[in-house]
Amino acid sequence: MKALRIKWQYAVIALLAVSAAAFGLLRPQLLPTASSTKQKLSATDRIRQNPPPTLFTDAEITPIGKQAAAQREKADALFAQWKKAHGTTRDDKAFAAWAARQIPAPPTAKDRTAELHQVQALAKTRTAAGKKAATWLELNGKKDVWKLYLHDQRELIPARQGTTEKAELKAALKLAKTVSDQLAARDKQPAPFVLDPSLRPEKHIQPGAKGPYSYPSRHATRAAAAVTFLGALSSHRAEDYRWMQDEVLYSRLYMAGHVSSDLTAGTLLGDLIGDYELTVGGH
């Protein structure tokens, strides 16, 4: 896993250097002008401006990674049922409703309390470096890191194919957000920092607050959808993608955004969405 981290760091540096050379981005940084601040930055630009710090160790991320990996087989078996009934026809509305029904009910109050205690214990081990890593992963783990990985692949394939794959990844990420938001609103499971505001005092949670809701995790859903999709496009990089997925998941525990059941539910949902996009997209 250490080798994967090194590969990721070199991949980011190499890709950003290529982008910089192509677009003149290696010039000294200047203060933003009125016109430049209005421009929408790409995922590559945003990560170039805010490169990854030292991330979490393999020992830290492996346990949640194993829990997430267990969802892969479940997702494949479930999706086979959908595919048998619907084939390769795209029907996002019907699929979203079906996928939502495949996600287990939230844990009991007793189980969720036990999970909260695990997050509270983890919070006591936080360090400045860990907070920095978690902050970067929370910001970039939603979409940008997955777009950057795809951009890395697109350098070596025909332009038309790259454009298609970009659109498909975007569709998968969008569907992941839509369905995870719908489930969170339905199940109304408060995030750990809502149940215990001392976990994230900067959030300024008011007494009696019910949300934000955290089951399933939006980060986990998006990450799993992206990893399933990207891994099928470039199987030799699949382990790299899973390593980054584990980093993102662990960061959500570390900063009390989620408990572990939020993450495994989100992973299952994201795996289903990744399978769906690969199927209806023709891969």
Side-chain angles (χ1 to χ4, degrees):
M1 294 296 286
K2 182 176 180 181
L4 295 179
R5 183 176 298 106
I6 294 172
K7 286 168 63 179
W8 154 252
Q9 292 170 338
Y10 278 124
V12 170
I13 293 169
L15 179 56
L16 297 181
V18 169
S19 300
F23 296 100
L25 298 176
L26 290 180
R27 296 171 297 181
Q29 292 297 303
L30 302 176
L31 291 175
T33 63
S35 60
S36 66
T37 55
K38 294 180 181 178
Q39 296 176 351
K40 185 177 181 179
L41 297 178
S42 68
T44 301
D45 291 334
R46 286 189 291 270
I47 293 181
R48 178 181 62 84
Q49 292 185 357
N50 179 26
T54 300
L55 301 183
F56 295 106
T57 67
D58 298 339
E60 290 171 310
I61 67 175
T62 293
I64 190 60
K66 289 181 177 178
Q67 292 181 46
Q71 306 307 308
R72 175 74 264 163
E73 187 174 347
K74 295 180 185 178
D76 287 344
L78 287 170
F79 185 75
Q81 300 173 19
W82 167 270
K83 188 174 180 180
K84 182 178 180 180
H86 298 271
T88 59
T89 302
R90 178 181 285 278
D91 188 341
D92 289 359
K93 184 176 180 180
F95 174 78
W98 174 85
R101 293 194 297 270
Q102 311 313 308
I103 306 308
T108 64
K110 180 179 179 180
D111 289 342
R112 196 163 180 88
T113 297
E115 290 184 312
L116 176 62
H117 290 164
Q118 294 173 351
V119 172
Q120 290 168 327
L122 180 60
K124 294 178 181 179
T125 70
R126 289 177 188 163
T127 64
K131 291 179 181 179
K132 186 175 182 180
T135 298
W136 189 90
L137 289 160
E138 180 175 359
L139 176 64
N140 295 283
K142 293 178 182 179
K143 295 186 293 185
D144 285 352
V145 71
W146 311 117
K147 291 181 177 181
L148 184 61
Y149 273 131
L150 181 63
H151 185 97
D152 190 14
Q153 293 183 152
R154 289 174 62 204
E155 296 296 312
L156 301 176
I157 61 178
R160 180 177 296 180
Q161 179 183 343
T163 299
T164 298
E165 291 175 356
K166 179 180 179 181
E168 291 171 353
L169 176 61
K170 182 178 180 180
L173 292 172
K174 182 179 180 180
L175 188 58
K177 178 183 183 302
T178 297
V179 184
S180 58
D181 284 354
Q182 290 172 349
L183 284 171
R186 183 194 72 184
D187 292 328
K188 294 182 170 57
Q189 297 294 303
F193 64 80
V194 175
L195 297 173
D196 180 358
S198 70
L199 292 169
R200 295 290 296 272
E202 75 279 8
K203 295 286 189 179
H204 304 293
I205 299 298
Q206 298 300 314
K210 301 298 182 182
Y213 302 125
S214 66
Y215 184 92
S217 163
R218 184 190 299 175
H219 274 80
T221 307
R222 283 174 159 173
V227 168
T228 298
F229 181 78
L230 293 171
L233 300 186
S234 187
S235 59
H236 67 285
R237 296 286 305 280
E239 193 172 354
D240 293 14
Y241 304 146
R242 286 192 292 269
W243 168 73
M244 179 54 70
Q245 178 184 18
D246 295 350
E247 288 281 349
V248 172
L249 297 184
Y250 182 76
S251 74
R252 308 305 294 139
L253 291 175
Y254 191 83
M255 293 305 292
H258 294 283
V259 293
S260 57
S261 61
D262 298 338
L263 300 173
T264 54
T267 300
L268 176 60
L269 177 59
D271 285 339
L272 289 171
I273 291 170
D275 282 342
Y276 172 73
E277 191 59 46
L278 288 168
T279 299
V280 300
H283 288 89

